[in-house]
Amino acid sequence: MSLNLNQNSNQNLDQKLNQNLDQKLNLKSISDNELIKETLNLVQKERVLLTAVIHYLREINQRRLYSAYGYKSLFDFTTKYLGYNEAQAYRRISAMKLLKDLPEIEEKITQGKIHLSHISIAQTHFKQEKKIHNKELSHQDKLSLIKQIENTSSKKAQSIVISLSSSPEVLKRRDQVNSISTDHIELKFTASREVQSKIEKLRGLLAHQCPELTLGELFNRLCDLGLNEWDPRKTFAAKKRCVKKDSLNNQANQEAKLNNDTNENADSVLQLGPKEQLAVQSSSIQSIPMQEAKSKLRSKFKLKAKAKSQAQIRREVFQRANNQCENCGSSYALEIDHIKPQALGGGSAADNLRLLCRSCNQRAAIEIFGQQKMDFYLNA
């Protein structure tokens, strides 16, 4: 699914643009009025271009085209391939998403009434309200907020949004990951008092083992517990060991029971008289020798190889892919994908399955079934 990237064409385009700019930007020779007029013209063109970039990003996202280039997400593609810094990429993607919900704001962007920073602030507020109330704000409520923050500074817009927020203390602080050295990062996030209470209880439980346990060390232990609990590869290995152990224990118990029953039968026969012993030995109960009975019991446990369950196959696919998307290497929202789709006759055996992240899975479906058909599911 990976594509070859042609960087030479981009470099040639840059050279041509630079040459044209060098020829046109002879600013010393133009008048003051011309300078202001041309600047205003360029600013307007810049806004139009910005709107165009947002539309292009939306189409790239709709096609999941970044997955075809081996990138984990649109953000990853925007920063690493298009060259935006993280803040620029975040603001443009936020604008792309909001423009889809509120197409009315396109004209406001082109006119310069709202900026990318406004959109980023508004989008953060909309997401937060959805989390708190478990439903989207209405179309009209979103437009009303945009109306209040247009033609304001970023600081003023932030203040307006905080005043309207159901949880302003959370809105003021976003999750942050800051690099402080080659081996360490700084994590910042907002949590409830309930989380703080749970942290203190955990520290209390570990007080004897680790009396000076830091939040970073505690978080590390919790991550280990989570990975041991939810990692499909480890779950499969643990269950496999348990099944094998249970099977061996079962077999040993059955053989021990057979030995005991056989010995008890032999003792009871010896206590009978000669005639009774002869009758018992000729009966069907004692017609099978002990060694033959043991042999039959052992063969009972040597079962034929059963078809693997879908759960086992799923775990094996995760194990084989090492819990990473086989196209882009992402570990986010992993899904089992049929290489030859079931709709086209593909089976569910392990050799027809692969592990892809959601975006790469959707891109694979687009390549097979076409954009038009997949739009129905992607836009649902």
Side-chain angles (χ1 to χ4, degrees), residues 285-298:
I285 299 175
Q286 292 295 326
S287 62
I288 303 175
M290 183 175 69
Q291 292 302 324
E292 188 180 345
K294 286 185 177 181
S295 176
K296 286 190 175 184
L297 178 64
R298 289 192 184 96

PDB file of all heavy atoms in Angstrom, residues 285-298:
ATOM      1  N   ILE A 285     -17.048 -57.206  32.690  1.00  0.00           N
ATOM      2  CA  ILE A 285     -16.416 -56.154  33.485  1.00  0.00           C
ATOM      3  C   ILE A 285     -14.912 -56.347  33.524  1.00  0.00           C
ATOM      4  O   ILE A 285     -14.138 -55.388  33.453  1.00  0.00           O
ATOM      5  CB  ILE A 285     -16.984 -56.140  34.917  1.00  0.00           C
ATOM      6  CG1 ILE A 285     -18.479 -55.849  34.861  1.00  0.00           C
ATOM      7  CG2 ILE A 285     -16.268 -55.132  35.790  1.00  0.00           C
ATOM      8  CD1 ILE A 285     -19.161 -55.940  36.198  1.00  0.00           C
ATOM      9  N   GLN A 286     -14.460 -57.606  33.640  1.00  0.00           N
ATOM     10  CA  GLN A 286     -13.033 -57.860  33.766  1.00  0.00           C
ATOM     11  C   GLN A 286     -12.429 -58.375  32.463  1.00  0.00           C
ATOM     12  O   GLN A 286     -11.318 -58.886  32.459  1.00  0.00           O
ATOM     13  CB  GLN A 286     -12.793 -58.897  34.871  1.00  0.00           C
ATOM     14  CG  GLN A 286     -13.130 -58.380  36.248  1.00  0.00           C
ATOM     15  CD  GLN A 286     -12.219 -57.253  36.657  1.00  0.00           C
ATOM     16  OE1 GLN A 286     -11.045 -57.249  36.293  1.00  0.00           O
ATOM     17  NE2 GLN A 286     -12.739 -56.279  37.349  1.00  0.00           N
ATOM     18  N   SER A 287     -13.160 -58.235  31.358  1.00  0.00           N
ATOM     19  CA  SER A 287     -12.664 -58.768  30.096  1.00  0.00           C
ATOM     20  C   SER A 287     -11.549 -57.924  29.501  1.00  0.00           C
ATOM     21  O   SER A 287     -10.814 -58.374  28.650  1.00  0.00           O
ATOM     22  CB  SER A 287     -13.816 -58.882  29.091  1.00  0.00           C
ATOM     23  OG  SER A 287     -14.353 -57.604  28.841  1.00  0.00           O
ATOM     24  N   ILE A 288     -11.416 -56.643  29.926  1.00  0.00           N
ATOM     25  CA  ILE A 288     -10.381 -55.757  29.399  1.00  0.00           C
ATOM     26  C   ILE A 288      -9.211 -55.742  30.368  1.00  0.00           C
ATOM     27  O   ILE A 288      -9.371 -55.352  31.509  1.00  0.00           O
ATOM     28  CB  ILE A 288     -10.910 -54.317  29.235  1.00  0.00           C
ATOM     29  CG1 ILE A 288     -12.137 -54.317  28.313  1.00  0.00           C
ATOM     30  CG2 ILE A 288      -9.839 -53.403  28.682  1.00  0.00           C
ATOM     31  CD1 ILE A 288     -12.802 -52.991  28.189  1.00  0.00           C
ATOM     32  N   PRO A 289      -8.033 -56.170  29.950  1.00  0.00           N
ATOM     33  CA  PRO A 289      -6.861 -56.136  30.831  1.00  0.00           C
ATOM     34  C   PRO A 289      -6.541 -54.708  31.247  1.00  0.00           C
ATOM     35  O   PRO A 289      -6.909 -53.747  30.574  1.00  0.00           O
ATOM     36  CB  PRO A 289      -5.744 -56.728  29.959  1.00  0.00           C
ATOM     37  CG  PRO A 289      -6.437 -57.452  28.864  1.00  0.00           C
ATOM     38  CD  PRO A 289      -7.723 -56.745  28.631  1.00  0.00           C
ATOM     39  N   MET A 290      -5.846 -54.563  32.347  1.00  0.00           N
ATOM     40  CA  MET A 290      -5.525 -53.243  32.890  1.00  0.00           C
ATOM     41  C   MET A 290      -4.690 -52.427  31.909  1.00  0.00           C
ATOM     42  O   MET A 290      -4.930 -51.235  31.715  1.00  0.00           O
ATOM     43  CB  MET A 290      -4.777 -53.399  34.217  1.00  0.00           C
ATOM     44  CG  MET A 290      -4.467 -52.065  34.891  1.00  0.00           C
ATOM     45  SD  MET A 290      -3.721 -52.265  36.497  1.00  0.00           S
ATOM     46  CE  MET A 290      -2.122 -52.917  36.035  1.00  0.00           C
ATOM     47  N   GLN A 291      -3.675 -53.001  31.272  1.00  0.00           N
ATOM     48  CA  GLN A 291      -2.817 -52.270  30.351  1.00  0.00           C
ATOM     49  C   GLN A 291      -3.603 -51.765  29.144  1.00  0.00           C
ATOM     50  O   GLN A 291      -3.390 -50.656  28.658  1.00  0.00           O
ATOM     51  CB  GLN A 291      -1.648 -53.163  29.889  1.00  0.00           C
ATOM     52  CG  GLN A 291      -0.652 -53.503  30.979  1.00  0.00           C
ATOM     53  CD  GLN A 291      -0.048 -52.253  31.598  1.00  0.00           C
ATOM     54  OE1 GLN A 291       0.195 -51.264  30.901  1.00  0.00           O
ATOM     55  NE2 GLN A 291       0.178 -52.289  32.910  1.00  0.00           N
ATOM     56  N   GLU A 292      -4.553 -52.610  28.674  1.00  0.00           N
ATOM     57  CA  GLU A 292      -5.374 -52.194  27.535  1.00  0.00           C
ATOM     58  C   GLU A 292      -6.283 -51.038  27.918  1.00  0.00           C
ATOM     59  O   GLU A 292      -6.500 -50.101  27.141  1.00  0.00           O
ATOM     60  CB  GLU A 292      -6.213 -53.383  27.052  1.00  0.00           C
ATOM     61  CG  GLU A 292      -6.957 -53.085  25.758  1.00  0.00           C
ATOM     62  CD  GLU A 292      -7.774 -54.272  25.299  1.00  0.00           C
ATOM     63  OE1 GLU A 292      -7.552 -55.389  25.810  1.00  0.00           O
ATOM     64  OE2 GLU A 292      -8.647 -54.068  24.435  1.00  0.00           O
ATOM     65  N   ALA A 293      -6.826 -51.068  29.134  1.00  0.00           N
ATOM     66  CA  ALA A 293      -7.678 -49.975  29.609  1.00  0.00           C
ATOM     67  C   ALA A 293      -6.888 -48.671  29.701  1.00  0.00           C
ATOM     68  O   ALA A 293      -7.366 -47.602  29.345  1.00  0.00           O
ATOM     69  CB  ALA A 293      -8.267 -50.345  30.961  1.00  0.00           C
ATOM     70  N   LYS A 294      -5.650 -48.790  30.204  1.00  0.00           N
ATOM     71  CA  LYS A 294      -4.801 -47.586  30.289  1.00  0.00           C
ATOM     72  C   LYS A 294      -4.518 -47.023  28.905  1.00  0.00           C
ATOM     73  O   LYS A 294      -4.494 -45.817  28.686  1.00  0.00           O
ATOM     74  CB  LYS A 294      -3.493 -47.924  31.004  1.00  0.00           C
ATOM     75  CG  LYS A 294      -3.619 -48.108  32.494  1.00  0.00           C
ATOM     76  CD  LYS A 294      -2.245 -48.316  33.096  1.00  0.00           C
ATOM     77  CE  LYS A 294      -2.337 -48.441  34.631  1.00  0.00           C
ATOM     78  NZ  LYS A 294      -1.006 -48.607  35.227  1.00  0.00           N
ATOM     79  N   SER A 295      -4.277 -47.926  27.963  1.00  0.00           N
ATOM     80  CA  SER A 295      -3.974 -47.493  26.605  1.00  0.00           C
ATOM     81  C   SER A 295      -5.146 -46.735  25.992  1.00  0.00           C
ATOM     82  O   SER A 295      -4.975 -45.712  25.329  1.00  0.00           O
ATOM     83  CB  SER A 295      -3.621 -48.706  25.747  1.00  0.00           C
ATOM     84  OG  SER A 295      -3.410 -48.298  24.417  1.00  0.00           O
ATOM     85  N   LYS A 296      -6.353 -47.258  26.250  1.00  0.00           N
ATOM     86  CA  LYS A 296      -7.551 -46.587  25.729  1.00  0.00           C
ATOM     87  C   LYS A 296      -7.739 -45.219  26.363  1.00  0.00           C
ATOM     88  O   LYS A 296      -8.167 -44.260  25.722  1.00  0.00           O
ATOM     89  CB  LYS A 296      -8.783 -47.457  25.972  1.00  0.00           C
ATOM     90  CG  LYS A 296      -8.861 -48.656  25.046  1.00  0.00           C
ATOM     91  CD  LYS A 296     -10.215 -49.344  25.150  1.00  0.00           C
ATOM     92  CE  LYS A 296     -10.310 -50.469  24.121  1.00  0.00           C
ATOM     93  NZ  LYS A 296     -11.634 -51.093  24.134  1.00  0.00           N
ATOM     94  N   LEU A 297      -7.428 -45.117  27.640  1.00  0.00           N
ATOM     95  CA  LEU A 297      -7.559 -43.839  28.341  1.00  0.00           C
ATOM     96  C   LEU A 297      -6.601 -42.815  27.769  1.00  0.00           C
ATOM     97  O   LEU A 297      -6.952 -41.655  27.554  1.00  0.00           O
ATOM     98  CB  LEU A 297      -7.299 -44.034  29.833  1.00  0.00           C
ATOM     99  CG  LEU A 297      -7.353 -42.766  30.692  1.00  0.00           C
ATOM    100  CD1 LEU A 297      -8.753 -42.173  30.662  1.00  0.00           C
ATOM    101  CD2 LEU A 297      -6.939 -43.068  32.117  1.00  0.00           C
ATOM    102  N   ARG A 298      -5.353 -43.268  27.509  1.00  0.00           N
ATOM    103  CA  ARG A 298      -4.360 -42.338  26.955  1.00  0.00           C
ATOM    104  C   ARG A 298      -4.784 -41.853  25.574  1.00  0.00           C
ATOM    105  O   ARG A 298      -4.634 -40.682  25.233  1.00  0.00           O
ATOM    106  CB  ARG A 298      -2.996 -43.021  26.882  1.00  0.00           C
ATOM    107  CG  ARG A 298      -2.355 -43.253  28.239  1.00  0.00           C
ATOM    108  CD  ARG A 298      -0.895 -43.658  28.098  1.00  0.00           C
ATOM    109  NE  ARG A 298      -0.317 -43.965  29.392  1.00  0.00           N
ATOM    110  CZ  ARG A 298      -0.224 -45.200  29.897  1.00  0.00           C
ATOM    111  NH1 ARG A 298      -0.669 -46.229  29.190  1.00  0.00           N
ATOM    112  NH2 ARG A 298       0.305 -45.399  31.081  1.00  0.00           N
TER     113      ARG A 298
END
